[in-house]
Amino acid sequence: MTPRPFTIALSGKGGTGKTTISSLLVRAFIDAGETPVLAVDADPNANFHEALGVEVKETLGSMREEAFTRNIPPGMNRHDYVRFRFRQALVESNGFDLVAMGRPEGTGCYCFANDLLSECMQQLERDYRFLVIDTEAGMEHISRGTIGKPDLLLIVSDPGARGLRTIARIREIATQLGLEPEKIHVIFNRYKSGAAPVDIGNERPIAIIPEDPAVEAADLAATPVSQIPESSPARQAVRELAGKLIKMAHERAGE
């Protein structure tokens, strides 16, 4: 039986750089030969694709529920049609695929898009070795069961004292939703040399990503941050993080 993929969800308040780290993680897994990777943009303010340098033409949020009740072709059941439409929404690239939640059209809610993502994740997840999910600040996709329970929840925070409140809030919500504490880790991003990270108790952050001019330059130039030079400090730090995650994934699989 093909093992299920190792699922990593990244969360954090806006502006902490979780999309940057998500995209660099995807690149690090590809560079390590851990392919294919499924990148999931679960933030309604979708920009994961820009960080990865691909174009999204259709999101799950743009799919209308009535299309799945009225327009199913003859000889195809709903299960097959959902899979077919999901495949159409997938953006395929070298070493990874990406799917974006997007926003629902009109005044609709996310219920149908969430259900669609949940159903298709269950169908397709065995096609991938790693799932990297860039989430919004809340825990909606975990609370709804859309993405199941991730193997790891990485909380991305700036290293200041204000980040501590966000870390505590997300951790509390995640544990209330049944995620084991040992599966929740903290990443400090944009760490300036000489600064002291906020105290998060006995736990050590799983990674400290240094402030990197290459990341800022990519943002200013609107170029894919995942393509910053391999020698850049942020990319090197995320490569080390990916090594830890790959080891965890292999241990889970009993390899």
Side-chain angles (χ1 to χ4, degrees), residues 166-222:
T166 301
I167 293 170
R169 178 178 59 84
I170 294 177
R171 188 192 300 274
E172 180 181 7
I173 295 172
T175 52
Q176 288 175 351
L177 294 172
L179 196 62
E180 296 88 341
E182 61 271 17
K183 294 184 176 181
I184 305 171
H185 295 273
V186 173
I187 296 174
F188 285 127
N189 191 30
R190 301 193 185 111
Y191 177 72
K192 295 182 180 180
S193 178
V198 65
D199 184 7
I200 55 174
N202 295 328
E203 177 192 4
R204 294 179 58 85
I206 195 171
I208 296 178
I209 314 300
E211 190 174 45
D212 191 336
V215 173
E216 183 179 2
D219 286 339
L220 291 174

Side-chain angles (χ1 to χ4, degrees), residues 75-104:
M76 183 178 287
N77 59 38
R78 182 183 183 279
H79 179 85
D80 292 336
Y81 188 55
V82 166
R83 185 180 176 92
F84 168 71
R85 292 289 283 118
F86 185 78
R87 285 287 190 186
Q88 286 188 317
L90 273 178
V91 179
E92 298 180 349
S93 190
N94 185 22
F96 74 93
D97 296 340
L98 178 139
V99 64
M101 285 290 294
R103 297 181 180 275

Side-chain angles (χ1 to χ4, degrees), residues 132-174:
V132 178
I133 306 169
D134 185 16
T135 74
E136 55 187 333
M139 294 283 99
E140 176 187 359
H141 293 291
I142 294 178
S143 64
R144 288 178 176 269
T146 309
I147 60 174
K149 286 186 181 179
D151 292 288
L152 286 180
L153 174 65
L154 303 180
I155 305 173
V156 181
S157 174
D158 42 48
R162 285 182 295 182
L164 181 61
R165 291 192 292 271
T166 301
I167 293 170
R169 178 178 59 84
I170 294 177
R171 188 192 300 274
E172 180 181 7
I173 295 172

Side-chain angles (χ1 to χ4, degrees), residues 71 223 233:
N71 299 332
T223 56

